[in-house]
């Protein structure tokens, strides 16, 4: 950082960071100039900032600009309107007297941290987009979702689901729908829809594992364990044993059980298990190799929005070979996993 | 009129959840409004994609008229005269 830069002299670094992510192109450019960023980096960033949706540009590795989340928590006050409610906690503000607010704030932070620390991805769009969490959505609403702009949290009905902010994996899952929207943009029906769902579980569980210090061995690989009510104990889904998470879980564990026309959350059990198998075979943290292979696949230009399980599986193998070698243990683990879930490569 | 309603999708979309409402159990005027509204649903039409990831959808069938097939509604469409279906489901819905 140059001392004589006028903007730098006036503005603190944190504000410069904020300005560099402004929606106003002129403000953004001035802030970037002020930060005296590498010219090549600036061009790449301006190009990718001009795009809306679709794939992000090459990963941003310049540490000065990223690494800072911009979270805002809104109170929907039990309304079902999807416009943003009342701001109740903004980035940097202290914890407040409502556990749902603090859980949402922390969960958004864990998700940001996972993507930044692992892939130097700056928020869901790779461009530092603000993360909005809307809590107390609806009346006893037993669900949570990403609507393309913000994450909405229901308080749960107490039987089916409880307070949805309590699930770090749930928050990672929903924000990953945002990541997918900016990358492969997988169509939300059929096999591509089940892949979309699976990718959200795959990265959602890693966000939780990283936040809690769990590795492939110590994680229970359960999805929704912290938000299920008494009727669905102990969890909604199991990546390790699809179909066995609770007495009503209808996920298949391999292609023999594939449900034609089934819900995207049902058939996602098959690719979920493939990821678990790769991660557990390789050992260590899920984000050491398995996570990066899946992430590279999600960002791979060859992955079509209407991809099938087989197309996705082949690309995971190609990415494992490219990153870790043709004959590496990683590629072997990927091949073995898809073989086990009966998706032919 | 016996109306079967199933909630599908949502974050917990791998868990089936549904209920059956016999309009005979509703006050007569409410029953008439529900029956008229159900009659006008897009029976047999292809289900549209969910509004966004993890949105709910509702599948409606008539127990005594399986020939009419199924009508699929998006989350948020069970309002007005159809609202009793949503409240019935919330109060009497069964998992499985
Ligand atoms: Zn989802």
């Amino acid at each position: 950082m140059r001392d004589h830069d006028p903007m730098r002299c006036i503005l603190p670094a944190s504000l410069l960071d904020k300005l560099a992510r402004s929606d106003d192109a002129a403000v953004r450019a001035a802030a970037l100039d002020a930060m005296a960023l590498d010219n090549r980096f600036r061009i790449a960033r301006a190009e990718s900032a001009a795009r809306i949706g679709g794939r992000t540009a090459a990963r941003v590795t310049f540490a000065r600009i990223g690494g800072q989340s911009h979270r805002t928590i809104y109170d929907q006050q039990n309304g079902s309107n999807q416009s943003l409610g009342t701001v109740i906690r903004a980035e940097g503000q202290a914890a407040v007297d409502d556990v749902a607010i603090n859980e949402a704030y922390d969960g958004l932070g864990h998700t940001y941290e996972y993507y930044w620390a692992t892939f130097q991805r700056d928020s869901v769009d790779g461009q530092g987009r603000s993360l909005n969490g809307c809590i107390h959505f609806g009346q006893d609403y037993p669900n949570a979702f990403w609507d393309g702009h913000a994450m909405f949290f229901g308080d749960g009905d107490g039987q089916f689901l409880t307070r949805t902010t309590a699930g770090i994996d749930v928050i990672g899952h929903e924000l990953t729908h945002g990541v997918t929207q900016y990358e492969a943009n997988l169509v939300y029906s059929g096999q591509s829809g089940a892949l979309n769902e699976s990718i959200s579980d795959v990265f959602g569980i890693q966000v939780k594992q990283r936040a809690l210090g769990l590795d492939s061995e110590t994680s229970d690989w359960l999805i929704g364990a912290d938000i299920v009510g008494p009727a669905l104990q102990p969890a909604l889904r199991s990546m390790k044993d699809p179909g066995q998470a609770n007495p009503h879980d209808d996920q298949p564990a391999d292609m023999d059980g594939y449900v034609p026309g089934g819900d995207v959350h049902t058939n996602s059990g098959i690719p979920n298990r493939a990821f678990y198998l790769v991660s557990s075979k390789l050992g260590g943290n899920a984000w050491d190799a398995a996570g990066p292979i899946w992430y590279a696949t999600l960002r791979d230009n060859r992955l079509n929005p209407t991809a099938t399980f087989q197309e996705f599986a082949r690309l995971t193998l190609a990415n494992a070979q490219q990153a870790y070698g043709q004959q590496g243990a990683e590629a072997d683990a990927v091949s073995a996993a898809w073989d086990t879930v009966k998706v032919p490569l | 009129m016996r109306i079967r309603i199933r909630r599908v999708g949502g974050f917990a979309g791998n868990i089936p959840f549904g209920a059956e409402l016999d309009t005979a159990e509703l006050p007569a005027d409410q029953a008439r409004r529900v029956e008229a509204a159900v009659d006008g649903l897009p029976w047999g039409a292809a289900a549209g994609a969910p509004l966004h990831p993890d949105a709910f959808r509702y599948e409606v069938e008539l127990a005594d008229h399986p020939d009419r097939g199924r009508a699929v509604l998006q989350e948020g469409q069970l309002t007005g005269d159809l609202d009793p279906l949503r409240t019935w489901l919330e109060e009497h819905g069964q998992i499985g």
Side-chain angles (χ1 to χ4, degrees):
Chain A
M1 215 51 62
R2 301 194 308 267
D3 293 338
H4 60 267
D5 191 300
M7 213 161 167
R8 170 65 186 159
C9 293
I10 300 164
L11 302 172
S14 60
L15 183 52
L16 269 180
D17 275 356
K18 199 168 279 178
L19 291 173
R21 293 193 194 83
S22 168
D23 290 330
D24 183 327
V27 171
R28 198 167 58 231
L32 288 171
D33 277 344
M35 297 168 87
L37 294 174
D38 167 68
N39 190 45
R40 192 163 45 90
F41 166 73
R42 254 189 294 148
I43 291 167
R45 190 169 182 89
E47 276 174 2
S48 47
R51 303 170 60 193
I52 298 170
R55 292 174 190 280
T56 55
R59 74 166 59 163
V60 175
T61 53
F62 196 85
R64 179 68 187 82
I65 187 76
Q68 174 60 54
S69 58
H70 293 276
R71 292 165 286 179
T72 309
I73 307 302
Y74 298 85
D75 188 352
Q76 302 304 114
Q77 296 168 322
N78 301 117
S80 296
N81 190 315
Q82 280 168 237
S83 55
L84 302 174
T86 310
V87 175
I88 198 153
R89 188 174 173 196
E91 186 69 46
Q93 293 182 345
V96 293
D97 197 19
D98 178 344
V99 66
I101 294 168
N102 300 326
E103 285 171 341
Y105 182 87
D106 292 345
L108 295 177
H110 288 311
T111 306
Y112 182 92
E113 273 303 310
Y114 167 84
Y115 277 105
W116 177 255
T118 315
F119 308 117
Q120 294 78 54
R121 184 186 185 89
D122 191 8
S123 191
V124 293
D125 62 347
Q127 301 293 323
R129 180 178 169 155
S130 299
L131 296 175
N132 296 326
C134 303
I135 62 155
H136 301 314
F137 176 82
Q139 205 62 251
D140 302 326
Y141 183 66
N143 196 20
F145 61 87
W146 165 262
D147 79 343
H149 307 280
M151 178 171 173
F152 290 81
F153 298 90
D155 295 329
D157 56 1
Q159 270 301 305
F160 195 76
L161 294 190
T162 53
R163 199 178 65 243
T164 57
T165 50
I168 299 175
D169 52 335
V170 179
I171 300 176
H173 174 111
E174 295 307 334
L175 294 185
T176 298
H177 280 308
V179 174
T180 297
Q181 165 189 327
Y182 284 100
E183 299 293 351
N185 206 11
L186 293 158
V187 174
Y188 203 65
S189 64
Q191 292 199 5
S192 59
L195 286 169
N196 189 322
E197 264 309 308
S198 174
I199 283 162
S200 275
D201 279 350
V202 158
F203 290 99
I205 195 75
Q206 291 181 77
V207 169
K208 178 175 175 178
Q209 289 168 345
R210 187 175 181 279
L212 301 183
L214 301 167
D215 63 20
S216 300
E217 198 68 38
T218 51
S219 172
D220 57 15
W221 294 93
L222 295 175
I223 299 293
D226 306 308
I227 66 159
V228 283
L232 294 177
Q233 290 290 328
L236 283 178
R237 293 186 279 279
S238 169
M239 298 181 68
K240 186 177 182 175
D241 292 307
Q244 305 299 315
N246 64 62
H248 311 285
D249 174 13
D250 71 359
Q251 285 199 317
D254 61 41
M255 285 305 283
D256 288 348
Y258 183 83
V259 182
D263 193 87
V264 291
H265 303 79
T266 294
N267 289 317
S268 60
I270 295 165
N272 272 4
R273 184 168 171 232
F275 181 82
Y276 158 77
L277 289 167
V278 173
S279 184
S280 75
K281 180 76 170 285
L282 296 175
N285 293 318
W287 56 91
D288 291 343
I293 291 167
W294 253 246
Y295 184 70
T297 303
L298 179 62
R299 299 199 56 193
D300 193 318
N301 284 318
R302 293 169 292 182
L303 183 64
N304 293 314
T306 54
T308 61
F309 285 2
Q310 183 179 55
E311 289 164 356
F312 182 85
R314 286 175 172 165
L315 286 174
T316 59
L317 179 59
N319 281 286
Q321 289 170 333
Q322 190 181 329
Y324 302 100
Q326 294 282 333
Q327 310 299 331
E330 292 80 4
D332 285 351
V334 168
S335 296
W338 291 113
D339 186 56
T340 302
V341 301
K342 301 183 181 176
V343 173
L345 285 168
Chain B
M1 181 186 269
R2 291 188 301 148
I3 304 165
R4 289 187 185 139
I5 180 155
R6 240 162 55 88
R7 189 178 71 198
V8 295
F11 182 78
N14 58 312
I15 310 294
F17 185 75
E20 182 172 303
L21 165 65
D22 188 338
T23 52
E25 302 202 37
L26 297 175
D29 59 326
Q30 193 180 51
R32 271 193 300 276
R33 286 200 301 273
V34 169
E35 287 171 10
V38 166
D39 217 44
L41 290 178
W43 292 98
L51 298 174
H52 49 73
D54 297 323
F56 285 139
R57 286 189 300 178
Y58 299 98
E59 296 177 352
V60 183
E61 291 174 353
L62 298 178
D64 302 313
H65 298 280
D67 50 299
R68 295 194 69 172
R70 175 185 288 174
V72 183
L73 297 172
Q74 300 288 359
E75 179 165 2
Q77 288 185 321
L78 281 186
T79 52
D81 288 346
L82 292 170
D83 198 57
L85 283 182
R86 189 181 55 80
T87 40
W88 186 271
L89 181 67
E90 283 171 7
E91 282 164 23
H92 303 277
Q94 300 277 331
I95 297 169

